[in-house]
Amino acid sequence: MKKIKVTIGWKEKNYSAVCEDKDINGIVVVTDKNIDNLKDNVKKSLAFHIQGCIDDGDALPQYLVDGNYELEFELLVSALSHK
């Protein structure tokens, strides 16, 4: 199963998550005040993004189309110090 890295930081009042994997054909960014909600929303947002790419006819690796991936969350110092 392919791992997709998601970087999480903290700025002012929110956590922010960024997924920049070259295979996803773009960038997914999510913010939330709660880190567990943030992680859940990243999963949903990435799935929505992938489906949009498929609907648009964009070429994606088969593992993304099949949903055969897992997210690997990396917390930056700003997120660790806030948590």
Side-chain angles (χ1 to χ4, degrees), residues 7-80:
T7 306
I8 297 176
W10 174 265
K11 180 75 172 177
E12 295 178 21
K13 298 179 181 181
N14 286 305
Y15 288 102
S16 61
V18 178
C19 180
E20 298 182 74
D21 192 283
K22 65 178 176 56
D23 288 345
I24 67 168
N25 195 24
I27 297 174
V28 175
V29 178
V30 177
T31 65
D32 201 293
K33 293 183 183 331
N34 179 288
I35 196 163
D36 293 325
N37 291 343
L38 176 86
K39 289 178 179 180
D40 187 50
N41 288 329
V42 168
K43 292 175 189 174
K44 291 175 184 174
S45 295
L46 181 57
F48 180 78
H49 172 78
I50 291 168
Q51 187 58 54
C53 289
I54 293 168
D55 293 346
D56 288 346
D58 297 338
L60 293 175
Q62 195 60 43
Y63 76 89
L64 287 174
V65 174
D66 295 341
N68 192 20
Y69 62 87
E70 65 181 7
L71 300 180
E72 182 175 75
F73 294 100
E74 177 184 317
L75 275 67
L76 300 176
V77 172
S78 60
L80 288 169

